[in-house]
Amino acid sequence: MISKDTFNSASTNVELSCIPEDTTGLERIMLAAQGDLQRLMSSFFARPIFIELVYANGSPRLKPASPEHPITQSRQVHLVCASRIVCTATSNVTITHPDFERIFLDDKFPIGQTFRKMLRHPQFTLLDAQAQVVGGKRELRRTYTLETDGFLCEILEVFPDRDMFVRGEAWLTENKLELENSCTVESQDVKPWWLPVSKGNTLSWGFACSYGLEPSPLVYYHDIWFVSLYLLLLYLI
């Protein structure tokens, strides 16, 4: 156990040992979250945090959950804010009480909300915390357990980029800006080969004014047609 949470009538003390030396204060708060990570990240980003299920594989539900007949589930979810993944959580859940079975499996509440719905404060044990570089991004991860009577969760959480805790809103929106800039470049006024000139650059009689741009073959056919029509009108007159 690398976390210790103690309190008395006069003080509260949270100790985290064996965590990366460069861990910031905000990161320590996230590492010490006890089933309320989604709530904390929503407070930090000032935006809602959504849960997107990646997969959920459970054991057969032949009987109501009980210590004699536990129900298990392995699952992975993404915590998403402003269309960006801020955390990936992979969990192994053991259910031994029918109320937790109903809320978690039937009503489909996420883990943290399940504890809140049941008005339970889980016992939190931080097992591991690491920092590493993956794909050029500074990644932070933690492994921990949340436990109360009838509900045990072993969870691995991965924060894909520690810069999110430094840059906040700017980190959330940078990908969106990059995508918008990319779309702007791709949607510049590139004319098809058959379009002779831009709007407003056509002279009378249909002769194209391309201002130095090489006209397409259709320009010449267009001009020849008008010249022929003009000569025919002169002949008829």
Side-chain angles (χ1 to χ4, degrees):
M1 181 173 65
I2 61 176
S3 65
K4 186 178 180 181
D5 187 344
T6 60
F7 67 94
N8 56 37
S9 60
S11 66
T12 295
N13 184 38
V14 178
E15 298 179 26
L16 300 177
S17 59
C18 300
I19 64 175
E21 293 183 357
D22 62 343
T23 303
T24 66
L26 181 57
E27 290 172 340
R28 292 171 66 89
I29 292 174
M30 300 303 173
L31 291 176
Q34 302 183 16
D36 57 350
L37 177 66
Q38 191 176 354
R39 176 175 170 272
L40 292 176
M41 298 201 77
S42 178
S43 297
F44 171 65
F45 285 118
R47 293 171 178 258
I49 305 293
F50 297 95
I51 298 291
E52 294 185 356
L53 182 67
V54 179
Y55 66 80
N57 302 316
S59 62
R61 299 172 62 183
L62 304 178
K63 295 183 179 181
S66 66
E68 294 76 23
H69 302 284
I71 296 174
T72 61
Q73 185 189 83
S74 60
R75 59 191 271 120
Q76 185 176 91
V77 300
H78 288 156
L79 277 66
V80 178
C81 183
S83 300
R84 296 205 64 177
I85 297 174
V86 296
C87 182
T88 298
T90 306
S91 312
N92 290 314
V93 179
T94 302
I95 307 169
T96 56
H97 193 284
D99 288 345
F100 281 105
E101 177 186 0
R102 173 178 54 81
I103 292 174
F104 185 67
L105 296 180
D106 295 333
D107 298 343
K108 300 187 182 304
F109 278 86
I111 290 175
Q113 285 90 323
T114 297
F115 285 108
R116 294 181 67 181
K117 187 72 174 177
M118 289 290 290
L119 303 179
R120 299 283 189 91
H121 183 74
Q123 179 181 343
F124 167 74
T125 304
L126 182 62
L127 303 175
D128 186 38
Q130 298 180 9
Q132 54 189 0
V133 177
V134 177
K137 302 291 187 180
R138 298 184 309 129
E139 183 183 274
L140 182 66
R141 58 174 57 201
R142 68 169 181 161
T143 305
Y144 65 100
T145 62
L146 296 173
E147 183 177 8
T148 190
D149 289 340
F151 200 53
L152 169 63
C153 308
E154 302 173 5
I155 305 170
L156 166 65
E157 287 175 346
V158 179
F159 304 94
D161 188 357
R162 297 172 69 182
D163 283 354
M164 74 173 78
F165 299 123
V166 178
R167 301 177 57 216
E169 180 72 15
W171 182 87
L172 278 181
T173 57
E174 66 180 359
N175 269 19
K176 181 178 179 182
L177 292 175
E178 290 174 3
L179 180 61
E180 290 176 350
N181 292 336
S182 175
C183 291
T184 300
V185 171
E186 293 177 358
S187 63
Q188 286 179 349
D189 189 19
V190 179
K191 298 178 179 61
W193 67 269
W194 47 264
L195 186 62
V197 291
S198 61
K199 183 179 180 181
N201 291 341
T202 301
L203 302 177
S204 59
W205 302 105
F207 293 98
C209 179
S210 57
Y211 296 107
L213 297 177
E214 183 179 353
S216 74
L218 289 183
V219 172
Y220 300 110
Y221 295 124
H222 182 264
D223 294 345
I224 291 173
W225 185 86
F226 268 99
V227 170
S228 300
L229 180 60
Y230 176 65
L231 292 176
L232 178 61
L233 289 174
L234 289 179
Y235 175 77
L236 295 175
I237 294 173

